[in-house]
Each structure stands twice: as structure tokens, then as C-alpha cells.
Amino acid sequence: MTSDLLAPLDLAFWNMESDRHPMHLGALGVFGARSPTAGAHAADLLAARAAAVPGLRLRIRDRWQPPAFGGAARETDPDFDPLDHVRLHAPADDFHAVAGRLMERPLERGRPPWEAHVLPGADGVSFAVLFKFHHALADGLRALRLAAGVLDPVGLPERPPRAVEPPRGPLPDVRRLPARVPGLVRDVLCDVGRTLDIGASLARSTLGMRPCPALVSAPSGTRRTAGAVLDIDDVHRVRKSAGGTVNDVLVAVVAGALRRWLDERGDGSEGVAPRALIPVSRRRPHAAQPQGNRLSGYLIRLPVHESDPLGRLDTVRTAMARNKDAGPDRGAGAVALLADRVPALGHRLGGPLVGQAARLWFDILVTSVPLPGFGLRLGGQELTEVYPLAPLPPGQALAVAISTYRGRVHYGLVADGRAVPDLDRLARAVPAEMTALLAAGGH
């Protein structure tokens, strides 16, 4: 039975989960359908193909033996049954309404932590698939590769195998250890200094602007999802005219949409600048197997209070440039790196507290999820829309995930259902903000 230990950040995700705050990510894909039975056929294909994908057979089991005392590991489930994970539902008029209810249900921890829910469309010309993967099993990139294993074959490029490097020189001579002590001490002090720098940046990030009550939530355990779509050509028009990167524009759209939403619901946007955590992958580009979360992040203030659309974009661009100059290993956004400094037992004992403390680090998650540039299919039916869905930490009411697929940008919104009953209004504000950017001269 194969087994590999969870990386520190994976272990943190596994232990901070609760019934009201499950730590799975998701993706809602909408497919065309040439017949009313296309959804049922898709469910059969998913179950049949899942058995042949090794990563989908992995469960997570606790480890109480040194050196991983209190840790956990992925191992092959000898009793794996795809039918426990693939479910066909009744026809639905609103895919997002069903997805919200399904996203609030934690994955069963005793078996491989993933599910695929097939939702036939009541219109008979579409169906949707909601994939759920626990964040300890897969980050966005690995989840994509696992999902690709059960979709129609499209020749997803494989990463070249990484060559095993031979040992560099002889083993260290213990007699030389005393001479290495100053260097070791210097390295430890550098690590401590970086940790303190992250903590100081985190403390500074809590100052300056009033909090946004609409983004703070008492845990209700309920979920809503919604989606919005932009034309990537419009995004490029704004980028070329106003400057910055595509991601700067997409984040600025979030800030503008929040402003519209707060003003429309009567909460007001004056003085509001929520802290947004922008995850940054630290995975080496040619890693043979993308297992284990390797994340840092940038922390910026979303200029919700700024009235001018181009002014909001300029503020986001400046903040992102400042983060990039500092690098993903410094500042409050790099708080995920602290997971590497906590022993396995510490994650197990402190996981719930870490989850509760997420509200102290940031107010909203805004993350980008990579997707391939070519079209995907299931049972010959084309994937037309795909909405990434991020986990929602305790105390937070909203998370935003963004993917670009075949010329369109898809925003996937996840919210606490009780705190944000009008999530559809926020979704409608996303394209309205892009229209405002174009009208303001971003074209």
C-alpha cells in the first residue's frame, strides 16, 4: 500500500476543517447536452474512469509513529469504490443553487476525499458536474489533473520526469560541525527574522481602514454559489489602455463589484478597504508530481472606497507591484509559510484555532485557478462554462475564485448563505464593473 506524508500546509488544511467550515475546493462545470440522458451517461463514464486514476484512490490516514507523530499521510484505499464518490442528481433548473447546498457538506474523511456530482439540466440541453476535492488532497493544479483523468482524453501534456540528482560529494564529517555552527545559527536567526517580519506585516495590515461587516460572518454552515462571466478581450483592452497585468484588472473588477454591491444593499462603501489574500504558488515549475500545497500569498487592500474605476485599478496595480518587488516569501500574505515551522502534532492541536484566526489575516480570498487553453469534453459533450469554487474560512462570508477558459473569464463566488443571501446581486455587479472600466477609458 503506497503512502506519502502530508506536507505541512496540507496537514494544516486537514486539521482546521470543521463541519461548518469544510476545507474542500470545487469546480462547477457546465456541459452542452445533445439528449436528456447525457447527464446519466456522464455519471456512468465518471464512475468507470475514476477507478483508473491512482490519485482518486488516495485516502488520508492519521499517523502516530515517529517521525510523523500527529501527522497524516495519503495512502491507497483498498476498498475504493467509485460509486461512493460519483452521484447522479435529479434534473435542476439552477445549477448554482444545487452546488451551494452540496458545497456546504463536508467530504467523508474515512475514504478518498473527493466527489463528483452530476446535475442534469431541466432544459434537457445541458448538464453540470460539481467536482469537490479536499484541499489536503489537491490544490488547484492537482485538482485539475485529477479531473482531467475522468474527462474525455485530450492529450493533457505530461510533465517530464525529474531526474534524480546524485549526491553532491561525501557525507558531512561530524568533526566539521563545530565550524558550521555560526552558519547554522545565522540561518536560524534569518528564519526567526523572516517570521517576525511576517508577523509585523500582518499586524500593520489590520490598521488604517474600517472593517467591512458584509464580509464578516458568524458561522452558519450554509453556502451559496454564483458565477459571472467576462470576455477576455475586454480585459485585454483595459490592460493595454490603463496598464498593469491581466490579474490586476481581474482583481480591480472584484473591488469595483464589491463597491457596487455594498452601495446597492445599503451598507455603503465609504472608508471600506478589505484585506484580500491573493494566493501565489511556490511550486517548482518542473516538479514531476504536483503533490502537496506549496503556497504563499500577497496581501493587498481592495480599494472599495475609491469612486473612480481607473483609480481602483491603479491602486491595485501599485499594491501588486509592491508585493511582487518584496517577493512571495515576505509580508503578511506569506503567513502560509509559517506552516512549515510547526510540527505535525502542533497542526493537529492548533488546527481549529488557526482556522478561527483566518479572519485576523484577511477579509476575503481572491484566487486564480489555472485551466488548459484547449476545450474539454465529457461523453463527447463540450464544457462551455467552468466556475472555480474556493473554501470559505471561519468568520468570513465570501471567497472569489477566477479562471480563464477558451476566451472567457469565469468568476466563481462562494458565500455563507445566511450572511450573503443576495450573492446573485454581487455576481451581476462583476460584468457591470467591467463595463464601467471600459467606459472610463480602459479601451
Side-chain angles (χ1 to χ4, degrees):
M1 179 181 294
T2 61
S3 174
D4 67 288
L5 293 175
L6 294 189
L9 190 54
D10 296 334
L11 190 60
F13 287 137
W14 186 246
N15 285 300
M16 72 172 61
E17 181 174 67
S18 68
D19 288 341
R20 288 177 178 264
H21 289 281
M23 291 304 298
H24 54 251
L25 50 86
L28 180 66
V30 180
F31 296 81
R34 289 191 289 268
S35 76
T37 62
H41 178 55
D44 291 340
L45 284 176
L46 291 173
R49 293 171 177 173
V53 181
L56 296 179
R57 306 176 69 95
L58 297 178
R59 63 184 179 183
I60 296 177
R61 307 287 282 181
D62 293 337
R63 287 286 180 267
W64 293 102
Q65 300 83 23
F69 186 78
R74 303 180 190 89
E75 64 177 34
T76 301
D77 183 358
D79 301 318
F80 174 71
D81 184 349
L83 296 179
D84 291 334
H85 302 264
V86 179
R87 295 159 193 179
L88 177 64
H89 294 258
D93 291 311
D94 185 341
F95 294 141
H96 276 289
V98 180
R101 293 191 294 271
L102 293 173
M103 283 294 289
E104 67 189 38
R105 301 178 188 174
L107 294 165
E108 188 169 327
R109 293 168 71 92
R111 60 191 184 199
W114 68 273
E115 292 173 352
H117 297 269
V118 181
L119 315 175
D123 56 13
V125 296
S126 65
F127 67 90
V129 179
L130 173 66
F131 288 102
K132 294 168 57 177
F133 296 96
H134 199 286
H135 219 328
L137 178 70
D139 60 4
L141 177 59
R142 180 163 170 78
L144 168 65
R145 299 184 71 83
L146 291 174
V150 292
L151 298 178
D152 292 355
V154 290
L156 186 67
E158 293 291 337
R159 294 180 181 273
R162 182 175 55 187
V164 178
E165 297 183 2
R168 298 182 178 180
L171 295 175
D173 188 342
V174 295
R175 292 172 296 180
R176 300 180 181 178
L177 287 179
R180 296 178 57 199
V181 166
L184 295 173
V185 171
R186 182 174 61 251
D187 291 343
V188 170
L189 291 177
C190 287
D191 281 349
V192 171
R194 185 171 65 165
T195 301
L196 293 175
D197 178 65
I198 293 172
S201 298
L202 181 59
R204 289 192 298 270
S205 74
T206 64
L207 304 176
M209 294 289 181
R210 72 176 177 89
C212 179
L215 300 181
V216 179
S217 168
S220 73
T222 60
R223 293 290 181 271
R224 291 179 184 270
T225 75
V229 182
L230 303 180
D231 189 322
I232 190 63
D233 290 338
D234 288 341
V235 177
H236 283 300
R237 289 187 186 97
V238 172
R239 176 188 61 82
K240 291 177 182 178
S241 175
T245 67
V246 165
N247 196 55
D248 293 341
V249 177
L250 299 180
V251 173
V253 165
V254 174
L258 287 172
R259 178 183 175 84
R260 292 171 180 275
W261 174 63
L262 290 173
D263 287 343
E264 287 178 9
R265 73 194 324 238
D267 289 337
S269 57
E270 183 179 355
V272 174
R275 298 160 300 171
L277 178 64
I278 316 291
V280 177
S281 175
R282 298 176 62 247
R283 193 187 305 285
R284 287 188 289 182
H286 299 297
Q289 294 295 327
Q291 292 187 355
N293 282 281
R294 299 286 296 167
L295 294 174
S296 180
Y298 298 145
L299 196 71
I300 72 168
R301 289 278 188 178
L302 292 181
V304 174
H305 61 289
E306 169 65 55
S307 60
D308 175 41
L310 294 180
R312 288 193 289 271
L313 174 56
D314 184 65
T315 299
V316 168
R317 181 175 64 241
T318 300
M320 290 296 287
R322 186 166 54 246
N323 274 283
K324 291 173 184 176
D325 288 344
D329 293 348
R330 299 185 65 85
V335 67
L337 302 184
L338 300 181
D340 293 338
R341 292 165 167 75
V342 178
L345 187 59
H347 281 295
R348 182 170 297 277
L349 297 176
L353 295 177
V354 171
Q356 293 294 330
R359 72 183 74 181
L360 301 177
W361 302 335
F362 59 95
D363 302 303
I364 182 173
L365 177 73
V366 182
T367 183
S368 295
V369 180
L371 288 178
F374 46 81
L376 298 172
R377 294 176 179 269
L378 178 57
Q381 313 301 312
E382 183 179 1
L383 176 65
T384 58
E385 304 170 41
V386 57
Y387 300 95
L389 304 171
L392 195 61
Q396 297 181 346
L398 177 67
V400 180
I402 309 169
S403 283
T404 301
Y405 176 69
R406 306 204 74 184
R408 300 203 298 172
V409 180
H410 293 81
Y411 283 75
L413 312 179
V414 177
D416 183 282
R418 191 168 298 167
V420 189
D422 57 344
L423 188 62
D424 288 342
R425 177 185 290 176
L426 176 58
R428 291 192 296 270
V430 170
E433 176 62 15
M434 176 53 67
T435 300
L437 277 167
L438 291 168
H443 57 82

